[in-house]
């Protein structure tokens, strides 16, 4: 597959803490970008790194949010 070929997986991928913050919070100021890292480290936010850049998949973020809405995830201290 060439670099210019887009797949449906590409549309699901969010690259960068600022874009993940925009997706989760509707804004991406420095505090919200830091919150993305905090959630990833302490609350199992489904993200991964490639090099120094953080990535997430929209579908996994939706599932993570839904789990919190339904109370399925136990709160962590």
């Amino acid at each position: 597959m060439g670099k210019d070929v887009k797949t449906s997986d590409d549309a699901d991928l969010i690259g960068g803490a600022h874009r993940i913050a925009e997706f989760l919070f509707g804004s991406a100021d420095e505090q919200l970008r830091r919150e993305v890292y905090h959630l990833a480290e302490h609350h199992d936010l489904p993200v991964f790194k490639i090099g120094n850049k953080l990535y997430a998949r929209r579908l996994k973020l939706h599932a993570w949010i839904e789990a919190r809405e339904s109370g399925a995830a136990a709160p962590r201290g």
Side-chain angles (χ1 to χ4, degrees), residues 4 22 33 36 43 58 64 77:
D4 296 332
E22 286 174 349
R33 287 192 309 269
V36 168
H43 299 281
R58 283 182 175 82
W64 182 83

Side-chain angles (χ1 to χ4, degrees), residues 22-34:
E22 286 174 349
F23 177 83
L24 292 173
F25 308 117
S27 181
D29 63 30
E30 183 178 345
Q31 182 179 356
L32 293 175
R33 287 192 309 269
R34 287 179 166 189

Side-chain angles (χ1 to χ4, degrees), residues 7-32:
T7 67
S8 61
D9 288 340
D10 293 335
D12 186 46
L13 192 63
I14 302 171
H18 66 287
R19 293 194 192 272
I20 296 168
E22 286 174 349
F23 177 83
L24 292 173
F25 308 117
S27 181
D29 63 30
E30 183 178 345
Q31 182 179 356
L32 293 175

Side-chain angles (χ1 to χ4, degrees), residues 1 3 11 18 20-21 24-25 29 34 40 47 49 52-53 56-57 60 62 65-66 72-75:
M1 229 188 259
K3 273 186 161 181
H18 66 287
I20 296 168
L24 292 173
F25 308 117
D29 63 30
R34 287 179 166 189
V47 297
K49 277 185 142 184
N52 289 329
K53 193 169 181 179
R57 296 213 176 267
K60 294 207 179 240
H62 279 292
I65 292 166
E66 287 173 8

Side-chain angles (χ1 to χ4, degrees), residues 42-43 71-77:
H42 300 286
H43 299 281
R76 295 173 100 183

